[in-house]
Amino acid sequence: MPINPAAPYDDQNVFAKILRGEIPSQEVYQDEFAYAFHDVNPQAPVHILVIPRGSYVSWDDFSAQASAEEIAGFVRAVGHVAREQGLVVRGYRMMANIGRNGGQEVAHLHVHLFGGRPLGPMIGE
C-alpha cells in the first residue's frame, strides 16, 4: 500500500508496535531517541533499521516537526550504529524511503543501514 508522507501518524504500524514491545525484534542498539534492530528480510549481509522513538511518518515529517534535540539524537544514533557494526571502515549505504515514489512501505520514519559487501549502483532498473 502506498504511503502518504503527509498523512497523520498511525500508531498501529509495525514499527510503533516494535517500539511498544508488541512485536519482537533483534535489537542492535537503543537510547532515548532511537531504536535499531536487524531487518527481518535482509537485503545485504548487514541490514539494520534505525527508527526514532517519536511518532514521525517520514524524513520530511521528522525534519519539519521534531525538536533539535530529537534530530541530533537520532542522527547520532544512526552514526553510532554504523560505527558499532563496523560499517564505516569498508563503507555502507544509508537509505530512508519517503512516500509512494520513494518506495516507503511502513509509515514510521526508518533509516536502512546496508553493508558487508559491495552494494552496486545506487538505483537499479
Side-chain angles (χ1 to χ4, degrees), residues 2-96:
I3 301 298
N4 176 355
Y9 184 80
D10 175 8
D11 70 357
Q12 294 305 305
N13 73 70
V14 66
F15 295 156
K17 290 179 178 183
I18 286 172
L19 285 171
R20 291 193 301 266
E22 296 170 9
I23 296 176
S25 63
Q26 189 179 355
E27 180 184 320
V28 171
Y29 173 80
Q30 69 172 307
D31 65 18
E32 66 185 291
F33 300 106
Y35 182 73
F37 55 98
H38 289 280
D39 194 291
V40 296
N41 184 26
Q43 303 299 304
V46 177
H47 185 174
I48 296 169
L49 298 172
V50 186
I51 60 176
R53 291 197 175 273
S55 302
Y56 300 104
V57 174
S58 66
W59 190 267
D60 182 67
D61 180 29
F62 181 70
S63 66
Q65 304 299 323
S67 69
E69 183 180 34
E70 287 176 295
I71 293 169
F74 181 69
V75 171
R76 286 189 178 111
V78 171
H80 175 85
V81 170
R83 287 187 301 279
E84 187 177 71
Q85 295 295 310
L87 297 175
V88 175
V89 173
R90 299 188 94 182
Y92 66 101
R93 180 167 297 150
M94 181 174 78
M95 182 175 74

